[in-house]
Amino acid sequence: MINSGSGMVATLRSDPERGFRELMDKYKEPVYWHIRRLVVSHDDAQDATQETFVRVFRSLGQYRGGGSFTAWVYKIATNEAMRVIERRRNRFVSLDDESFAPPGIEADGYVDYGDLEAVKLQKAILSLPPKQQVTFNLRYYDGLGYDEIAEVTGSTAPSAKANYHMAKDKIIRYMNTND
């Protein structure tokens, strides 16, 4: 049986090998998809997911249990995704540089480009400011509550709710106006 957050933390501390297995069983797939929706590339998402779990394991002593363990894991995952995005952004030196290519949906074997609505939705989400993008993904895809989203994004629950609704409105407008 997989432990809840507090039980998992206790297991990670008392039996690290078993605790890490439980952590991976419960969070590997949702964390991968959370990161994947932010960074788009499968390879980048795999790397960031692996780094997320290394950081969770190494930082366990810093987790005080005051908030949701799930939110704490997602915060680390979000930070890893942002590191990937920032590294990618730093590769683009200048708009005048002929090799400049803005980030977007990268081609790989894991995206169904035949589903035009899904591609359009992904483009709409990627057009959002980072905080709205993260908030939208955490609420829409991962089902986190506004309190947990606030923990992940370092904001308040009302701010997370406002960010979600602004993001949703922008996505609806994008979907209705862009080809």
Side-chain angles (χ1 to χ4, degrees):
M1 176 176 179
I2 296 176
N3 285 320
S4 65
S6 60
M8 186 176 299
V9 171
T11 303
L12 278 162
R13 290 180 174 152
S14 67
D15 185 353
E17 188 175 321
R18 185 174 134 230
F20 194 74
R21 261 193 325 271
E22 288 182 7
L23 177 74
M24 295 299 288
D25 287 346
K26 181 171 183 176
Y27 290 104
K28 184 178 182 180
E29 188 173 334
V31 164
Y32 165 83
W33 284 108
H34 169 66
I35 292 171
R36 175 70 187 271
R37 285 186 288 273
L38 296 171
V39 302
V40 181
S41 162
H42 167 70
D43 291 337
D44 286 345
Q46 277 191 317
D47 292 345
T49 300
Q50 184 175 12
E51 187 60 30
T52 294
F53 288 107
V54 168
R55 287 184 188 270
V56 165
F57 193 72
R58 286 183 181 160
S59 303
L60 195 58
Q62 296 171 13
Y63 177 71
R64 300 289 176 233
S68 159
F69 182 72
T70 298
W72 186 71
V73 170
Y74 273 87
K75 183 173 187 153
I76 292 170
T78 301
N79 288 340
E80 286 307 312
M82 293 300 136
R83 279 193 238 308
V84 168
I85 291 168
E86 188 60 31
R87 276 194 308 265
R88 197 182 300 149
R89 188 175 296 138
N90 287 339
R91 287 193 318 227
F92 304 123
V93 180
S94 165
L95 289 173
D96 297 327
D97 183 355
E98 290 183 21
S99 66
F100 176 79
I105 298 179
E106 298 176 16
D108 67 26
Y110 295 89
V111 176
D112 178 7
Y113 290 99
D115 185 350
L116 296 178
E117 282 297 307
V119 170
K120 189 174 181 180
L121 176 61
Q122 184 62 37
K123 286 181 180 180
I125 293 168
L126 290 172
S127 75
L128 297 170
K131 197 167 214 172
Q132 287 179 10
Q133 186 179 347
V134 169
T135 300
F136 181 83
N137 285 336
L138 289 171
R139 180 74 177 163
Y140 184 79
Y141 290 110
D142 299 310
L144 268 62
Y146 294 117
D147 289 334
E148 289 179 307
I149 294 168
E151 286 182 53
V152 172
T153 60
S155 64
T156 64
S159 176
K161 187 174 185 177
N163 273 317
Y164 174 75
H165 288 288
M166 284 188 288
K168 185 177 71 169
D169 291 344
K170 287 177 183 178
I171 289 168
I172 290 168
R173 280 195 308 275
Y174 184 99
M175 297 295 285
N176 289 332
T177 59
N178 290 312
D179 296 324

